[in-house]
Structure formats: C-alpha cells, structure tokens
Amino acid sequence: MNTIAHLSPAPEPDPDLKPLVARVAKGDRDAYTQLYDALAVRAYNLVRRVLRDEAQSQEVTQEVMLDVWRSAARYEPDRGDVVPWVMTIAHRRAVDRVRYCRAAAERDRKVAATTGETPFDVVAEEVETALEHQQVRRCLRQLTLLQRQSVLLAYYRGLTYSEVAAHLDTPLGTVKTRLRDGLIRLRDCLGAGS
C-alpha cells in the first residue's frame, strides 16, 4: 500500500483571479485591491529571492503591482493563469533591477577609476601652483641684479647670509640690506598681483 504523508498542509489551489483582472482592466479599484491582496506577498517573495534587499524588493513589488494595474487590459486569459502572469512580471522587474544596479555600480567604478587618476582638485592645485611660480619669476625680474642674486642664493639655494656674502664677495651688512630690500619689493609685487 502506497501512502503519501504530508508534513505540511497541502497548498490551497489559487482562486480564480481571471474575473478580477477583467474588472481591474475596466478600472475597478475594489477588484484591484482584492487582486493586490491575493498576489502582492507572492510577488514580494519572488522579488526578494532575486534581489536579497528588503527596501529594493518592496519598491520593485510596488512597481510590479502598478504594472498589473496598468497592463490588466492586455492580459489574455487563454494564454495562462493570473499567478504565473504576475510572477513573470515580478521576475522580469527583479532581474531588470539587478542588471540596473550592476550597470550603475560598473559605471561608478569606471568613473572612480578615471577620476582617481586626475582628480579635479589636483589639476586645480597644479594650475594654481604654476601661476604662482610664474608670478614669482615675474616679480624676481623686477629686482635689481644684486637683490635678485642675494634672494636666489639665500632662498633657493639655501645659503646663510654669511655664505651669500662670501659667494658674492660682498660685506655681510650689504647682503642683509639687499635681501631686506629685495624681499620688501617681492612682497609688494606679489601682494599687488593677488
């Protein structure tokens, strides 16, 4: 004797939802509410298995049920039952969302990779630095030869006042005066340019 033991109750057959879809196609909101109550949880469960994200699953389920409302007039009862029709819509919407999310993540990754090489801030900083260097060179050209030599030796080559004096074969007091006057002229020139 063959007996089949059911550990859980046998699933109840789906109610006939075709008349509800026909009424929804005519704009019957009560019929839509009944259809929604009968199918939204099932659609959500399917979408949730695909997306694995609760918030997105809820959003996509709402889109699915809105699709059902909008496309009820296109439902063809001869081609199949309502539940598979709605589950097909749900599955397609969920897969579309997965594809969209993957494509968006890939776009973000590509943008991050390309902007990571030359960020705007780095480019702006380089341009600003180049302009500042040009301005300093222009202001240095406005100094007398002796002032320019003293400033370059002290600030660009890092020589002490005594070393500048020895290098230029000039008394230390004269070097200090040239440096002071040169720096004042540079400050005025750079301050006027900004």
Side-chain angles (χ1 to χ4, degrees), residues 87-163:
M87 294 303 111
T88 300
I89 294 171
H91 187 262
R92 286 182 183 159
R93 283 280 187 166
V95 169
D96 286 348
R97 179 63 64 100
V98 168
R99 288 179 181 149
Y100 173 81
C101 290
R102 284 184 183 159
E106 181 64 18
R107 278 191 308 272
D108 290 346
R109 188 193 61 73
K110 286 180 181 178
V111 167
T114 58
T115 56
E117 293 173 9
T118 54
F120 175 78
D121 291 341
V122 171
V123 172
E125 189 174 317
E126 288 175 4
V127 169
E128 187 175 333
T129 301
L131 291 173
E132 288 172 354
H133 289 178
Q134 283 179 341
Q135 187 175 9
V136 168
R137 284 191 295 272
R138 181 181 54 79
C139 290
L140 280 170
R141 285 192 299 269
Q142 294 179 7
L143 300 178
T144 66
L145 178 61
L146 299 173
Q147 288 171 337
R148 186 169 46 251
Q149 286 176 333
S150 298
V151 169
L152 291 174
L153 290 170
Y155 290 96
Y156 286 94
R157 289 191 46 201
L159 301 180
T160 64
Y161 289 172
S162 301
E163 291 170 332

